[in-house]
Amino acid sequence: MMRGSLIGLVFAPNGDELRSLSNEPKPMINVMGKPLLIHVVDNLKSIGALRVLAAVNEDVNIQGIELSRISGDYWSTLTSMIKETPGGSTIVSSSTEYYVPREAYEALLNTHLSMGYDATMLVTAVEDTSGGVMVHINGEGRVIDLGSGMGPGYLFLNLMVIERDVVEAEGELNWGRIKAGVHLWNGWFTRINSPWSLLDLTRNLLLGLRESIISAKAKISPKASIEGLVVIDDDAVLDHNCTLRGPVYVGRGAYVGTGALIRNYTSIEEGAVIGANAEVTESLVGVKATVGRGSFIGASLIGPRAVVEPSVVTLTTTLGRKIGAVIGGGARVGANSVIKPGSVIKPGELIDPLTYYG
């Protein structure tokens, strides 16, 4: 049984992990039509959070969320945010550093309520916890301590339920004194620590589709072909003889030209343009970006407002995962260029036509 009202907190630092893709604040980078921050907020609201507070370190323009400033590291910021909430509240804290699906939020909250813990952390067993927080637990599944990640162990996925009054009584998150447990998550998660991780997130989100969602406001040619599951948002345009092979997302006001082919695990964001006879696969095409006619974009990320001129090819390779190129926001790649696998074109950079880049 809930001890008080449910309140969501989001730790949403900017960081530098996605700077090669966009100069926009990290929490505001779009994937499947929504900023990363809103994906997390929607998950919090889906489990009944009545209020959501987000800590950011840059000004962001977002409605319906109470914003505060990051004060120090994750833990100090979290403690400060918790103290801003009413007594008796149950807090669900999350972050834009890791993304887990809605089902993980539900499972964590159910464990917390059924076990009667003061705090419950979402963890997963991994072979390498480096760069994260390792959770040390005893044989009863109770939290003993936290440490810097190194080697195999239980990785904290930055999602936790905690009773507000525990923090009030202790003044801090004292793992040796509070009754803290874990929920072991065996499902997917994505650590947002590089542009490439956004391709993983896109794939995971699209794999979660259970049915196609096609807006009545989309303009779809009777000669367009749709195969598999898709999401097509308001005012998207699919021109004659283009093909979507899902799972695929086409955002609000996006345009897919005549004869273009959009293949699996691709997200075409709001206002993006895919030219005639272009092919895009396993890629993220950012807000108002343009892919010129006859181009091939594979396993790549195109930043917001970037322009890829006609007949550009991104070569791909497999090094642990399939990778193409990162083309930063506002960059322009000249016609008939070839981009080598793993190349990173900086935001605003201009590449001459007929360039073999990388």
Side-chain angles (χ1 to χ4, degrees), residues 207-246:
L207 280 171
L209 292 180
R210 295 294 175 262
E211 61 180 359
S212 290
I213 303 171
I214 301 176
S215 170
K217 296 180 180 179
K219 301 175 180 64
I220 302 175
S221 165
K223 295 182 179 180
S225 175
I226 298 175
E227 307 167 12
L229 298 179
V230 298
V231 176
I232 303 175
D233 220 328
D234 293 350
D235 301 317
V237 176
L238 304 187
D239 214 333
H240 302 310
N241 300 316
C242 71
T243 300
L244 270 56
R245 292 181 182 162

Side-chain angles (χ1 to χ4, degrees), residues 80-155:
S80 297
M81 293 175 73
I82 289 174
K83 291 178 179 178
E84 295 176 12
T85 62
S89 301
T90 297
I91 309 296
V92 183
S93 69
S94 57
S95 85
T96 53
E97 302 298 280
Y98 291 88
Y99 185 89
V100 294
R102 175 180 52 81
E103 292 79 7
Y105 287 71
E106 295 173 345
L108 175 67
L109 185 58
N110 288 338
T111 295
H112 179 79
L113 297 177
S114 64
M115 298 299 293
Y117 291 137
D118 294 326
T120 311
M121 308 179 76
L122 188 74
V123 302
T124 189
V126 296
E127 291 298 320
D128 185 9
T129 56
S130 298
V133 174
M134 182 187 290
V135 180
H136 303 286
I137 63 176
N138 62 20
E140 299 176 348
R142 295 277 294 275
V143 177
I144 302 170
D145 198 5
L146 308 181
S148 298
M150 184 178 297
Y154 293 107
L155 177 68

